[in-house]
């Protein structure tokens, strides 16, 4: 009895930072040669107070002479606080560019975008230049990224009063947008898609900008002060975040669990667009769609020495053990053996420990995974840094198709997840069909098997039987994969184009799997002409 034909693969709001922060120094630069904001003193004082309680020392200056290589080397981050106009000469600009590109941090606040219009590098560093603004008014700020240390404390929306900048260009293609403005909530916005806070890598360094911070009142607002603190910690490199540009992703979870199913005991609480594990051992899996080649991103946080994981490449099942036995787990665990701690392919391959440790925020902080699945290759990125590269060679498993899920490990293990999103990859993606969804056939029947995807299979297959699928084109197909079970002697699957007697594209042996409820994957290349 054969399971289904699976796929044709195509080529084609606390203000206290984590206590582990080392002591460091921050330079606050507030020189102006254009409009001068009366909020600058309040901003300097707010940053000094943040430093006093978060282990960094602040030096404030309006002297461009501070921008020498030797002086900048003493600072982990430089804050451009409501600077305006041409504030650095050519030599100072060169020193600052070298500082950032060699690993330093930049943080721009509000009018920092109204600065250095004759220096192209600065536009790249800040992300965009100021164009204009309407009157100060209340607006709704939408939080796109709730894992970054600057915005993790915020809800999905935030209503506040400020001066809302329009920018000459939209920075989204080259930055990771953290917040955007809802232009329907105020008057005078002219960008449509309107980023207002963002971050991005710059050379070996880091850049962060927020358009908030015009008013004196802003610097007494705990939520804005916490945003400044997170931005400083990121720019200084003491808090990690994935600030690579991100486009083309589809949301799987951002508050709604539509399309998700719980397998096994326990559950996930769903509040504040955050899933929090409860009890176990179970699995919340995205049952709405089986996936082939893709980039999966999600934000996660542990409490203490908890245990969880993200599963990929497993068949549909109401039994969470099936994901363990047939898929792969990218582990989340603060302490364990190397092949069973954060970033490991659980039980198969440890993460690059040095890279992992350098990229990881400790328990209590949010982290971002990207799981990049291409064929049988699984790459793991933690906060934008590659920490594992694994290739499946087990014929009983396959990353070429399967489901994804997050684990609730036990009552004593608490993990939280946010903003689960996916980008399906073209050129190397898959076309997936259920075996029992054939449009023509001879001899076969639909059989009920609970462990199968949807609980049914293409079954009762004897020699010479066949099934046809008009919904699948074989043009350009180079690989065929199927998830099968056989309690008998096994046999051979042939893949033909057009009909049961059409051109033979390839064949694959089906072994005995030991029982009709025991499944494994078989794969072959397609070499015939379609």
């Amino acid at each position: 009895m054969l399971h289904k034909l699976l796929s044709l693969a195509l080529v084609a709001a606390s203000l206290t930072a984590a206590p582990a922060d080392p002591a460091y120094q921050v330079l606050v630069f507030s020189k102006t040669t254009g409009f001068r904001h009366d909020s600058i003193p309040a901003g300097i004082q707010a940053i000094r107070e943040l430093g006093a309680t978060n282990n960094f020392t602040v030096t404030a200056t309006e002297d461009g002479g501070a921008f020498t290589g030797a002086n900048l080397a003493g600072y982990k981050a430089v804050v451009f606080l409501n600077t305006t106009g041409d504030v650095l000469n050519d030599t100072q600009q060169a020193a600052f560019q070298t500082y950032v590109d060699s690993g330093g941090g930049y943080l721009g606040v509000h009018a920092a975008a109204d600065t250095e219009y004759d220096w192209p590098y600065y536009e790249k560093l800040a992300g965009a230049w100021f164009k204009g603004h309407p009157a100060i008014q209340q607006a709704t700020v939408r939080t796109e990224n709730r894992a970054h240390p600057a915005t993790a404390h915020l809800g999905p929306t935030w209503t506040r009063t400020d001066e809302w900048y329009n920018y000459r260009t939209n920075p989204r293609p080259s930055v990771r947008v953290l917040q955007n403005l809802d232009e329907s909530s105020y008057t005078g916005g002219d960008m449509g898609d309107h980023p207002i806070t963002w971050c991005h890598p710059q050379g070996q360094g880091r850049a962060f900008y927020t358009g908030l911070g015009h008013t004196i009142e802003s610097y007494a607002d705990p939520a804005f002060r916490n945003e400044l603190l997170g931005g400083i910690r990121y720019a200084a490199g003491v808090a990690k975040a994935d600030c690579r540009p991100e486009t083309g992703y589809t949301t799987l979870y951002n508050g709604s669990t539509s399309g998700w199913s719980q397998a096994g005991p326990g559950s996930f609480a769903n509040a504040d667009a955050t899933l929090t594990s409860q009890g176990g051992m179970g699995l919340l899996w995205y049952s709405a769609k089986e996936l082939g080649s893709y980039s999966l991103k999600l934000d996660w946080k542990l409490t203490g020495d908890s245990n969880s994981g993200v599963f990929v490449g497993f068949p549909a099942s109401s039994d969470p053990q099936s994901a363990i036995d047939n898929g792969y787990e990218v582990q989340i665990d603060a302490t364990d053996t190397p092949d069973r701690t954060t970033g490991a392919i659980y039980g198969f391959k440890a993460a690059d420990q040095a890279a992992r440790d350098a990229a990881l925020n400790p328990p209590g902080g949010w982290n971002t995974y990207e799981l990049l699945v291409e064929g049988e290759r699984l790459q793991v990125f933690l906060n934008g840094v590659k920490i594992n590269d694994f290739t499946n060679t087990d014929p009983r498993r396959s990353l070429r198709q399967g489901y994804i899920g997050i684990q609730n490990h036990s009552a004593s293990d608490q993990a939280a997840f946010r903003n689960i999103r996916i980008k399906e990859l073209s050129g190397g993606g898959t076309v997936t069909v259920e075996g029992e969804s054939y449009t023509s056939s001879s001899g076969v029947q639909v059989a009920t098997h609970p462990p199968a995807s949807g609980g049914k299979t293409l079954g009762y297959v004897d020699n010479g039987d066949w099934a046809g699928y008009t919904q699948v084109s074989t043009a350009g197909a180079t690989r065929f994969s199927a998830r099968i079970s056989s309690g008998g002697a096994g046999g051979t699957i042939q893949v033909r184009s057009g009909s049961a007697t059409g051109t033979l594209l390839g064949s694959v042996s089906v072994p005995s799997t030991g029982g009709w409820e025991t499944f494994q994957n078989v794969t072959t290349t397609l070499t015939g002409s379609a």
Side-chain angles (χ1 to χ4, degrees), residues 145-295:
N145 183 319
R146 299 180 67 209
H148 194 284
T151 50
H153 64 292
L154 297 172
T157 60
W158 180 22
T159 300
R160 69 185 311 275
T161 298
D162 213 318
E163 182 182 73
W164 305 112
Y165 275 8
N166 296 311
Y167 300 95
R168 298 184 183 185
T169 57
N170 188 325
R172 187 178 293 276
S174 57
V175 303
R176 177 68 169 105
V177 177
L178 306 180
Q179 296 173 299
N180 69 74
L181 294 179
D182 179 356
E183 289 192 345
S184 70
S185 68
Y186 73 105
T187 60
D190 67 4
M191 295 180 65
D193 174 29
H194 197 139
I196 197 67
T197 303
W198 55 78
C199 59
H200 65 95
Q202 178 58 50
Q204 297 177 46
R206 298 151 303 280
F208 178 97
Y209 170 83
T210 181
L212 284 62
H214 172 85
T215 66
I216 294 174
E217 293 78 11
S218 294
Y219 297 93
D221 177 358
F224 179 60
R225 286 165 69 104
N226 207 27
E227 182 166 311
L228 281 179
L229 174 60
I232 290 169
R233 295 182 67 232
Y234 164 74
V238 298
K240 313 302 180 182
D242 187 352
C243 282
R244 296 174 299 168
E246 182 175 305
T247 58
Y249 284 78
T250 299
T251 297
L252 300 185
Y253 169 80
N254 199 16
S256 171
T257 55
S258 176
W260 292 81
S261 301
Q262 178 70 32
S267 63
F268 280 84
N270 181 20
D272 189 32
T274 304
L275 293 166
T276 304
S277 64
Q278 298 181 324
M281 177 184 292
L283 186 75
L284 184 68
W285 60 292
Y286 189 68
S287 56
K289 188 173 186 180
E290 195 168 23
L291 299 163
S293 292
Y294 54 87
S295 166

Side-chain angles (χ1 to χ4, degrees), residues 329-340:
E329 179 186 8
V330 181
Q331 178 72 335
I332 300 172
D333 191 332
T335 59
D336 209 326
T337 58
D339 67 335
R340 297 183 177 190

Side-chain angles (χ1 to χ4, degrees), residues 241-520:
D242 187 352
C243 282
R244 296 174 299 168
E246 182 175 305
T247 58
Y249 284 78
T250 299
T251 297
L252 300 185
Y253 169 80
N254 199 16
S256 171
T257 55
S258 176
W260 292 81
S261 301
Q262 178 70 32
S267 63
F268 280 84
N270 181 20
D272 189 32
T274 304
L275 293 166
T276 304
S277 64
Q278 298 181 324
M281 177 184 292
L283 186 75
L284 184 68
W285 60 292
Y286 189 68
S287 56
K289 188 173 186 180
E290 195 168 23
L291 299 163
S293 292
Y294 54 87
S295 166
L296 172 68
K297 289 190 177 183
L298 53 92
D299 305 327
W300 59 267
K301 179 176 71 171
L302 288 184
T303 299
D305 185 17
S306 291
N307 186 325
S308 186
V310 184
F311 283 83
V312 296
F314 59 90
S317 176
S318 60
D319 181 1
Q321 188 65 35
S322 177
I324 296 172
D325 294 340
N326 300 294
Y328 287 105
E329 179 186 8
V330 181
Q331 178 72 335
I332 300 172
D333 191 332
T335 59
D336 209 326
T337 58
D339 67 335
R340 297 183 177 190
T341 190
T342 297
I345 312 303
Y346 186 89
F348 290 89
K349 185 176 182 180
D352 179 326
Q353 301 292 295
R356 191 277 311 278
D357 291 348
L360 180 67
N361 291 316
W366 285 94
N367 292 277
T368 298
Y369 264 166
E370 179 188 8
L371 309 185
L372 182 59
V373 176
E374 297 173 294
E376 296 292 358
R377 184 184 185 190
L378 168 59
Q379 298 177 75
V380 181
F381 295 80
L382 174 65
N383 295 323
V385 176
K386 186 161 78 170
I387 62 169
N388 210 334
D389 195 337
F390 170 77
T391 299
N392 171 52
T393 58
D394 185 345
R396 298 168 299 174
R397 304 171 190 253
S398 179
L399 289 166
R400 293 186 180 278
Q401 70 285 315
Y403 292 87
I404 63 99
I406 55 176
Q407 183 185 59
N408 54 298
H409 189 267
S410 75
S412 61
D413 295 299
Q414 189 175 91
F417 295 88
R418 285 177 172 171
N419 195 16
I420 305 174
R421 64 265 193 206
I422 198 158
K423 179 192 287 187
E424 295 186 74
L425 304 178
S426 60
T430 61
V431 176
T432 303
V433 296
E434 297 286 339
E436 63 271 18
S437 66
Y438 51 82
T439 55
S440 59
S441 66
S442 175
V444 300
Q445 299 177 45
V446 176
T448 299
H449 285 278
S453 173
K456 297 183 182 299
T457 70
L458 169 71
Y460 302 98
V461 183
D462 295 313
N463 288 339
D465 291 349
W466 58 268
Y469 303 84
T470 58
Q471 68 271 48
V472 178
S473 171
T474 58
T478 62
R479 185 171 294 272
F480 168 82
S481 298
R483 190 155 186 83
I484 58 90
S485 70
S486 175
T492 301
I493 299 174
Q494 292 185 340
V495 182
R496 294 182 178 271
S497 177
S499 71
T501 58
T503 302
L504 179 64
L505 305 180
S507 61
V508 61
S509 295
V510 175
S512 173
T513 63
W516 300 116
E517 307 299 315
T518 303
F519 295 93
Q520 72 179 63

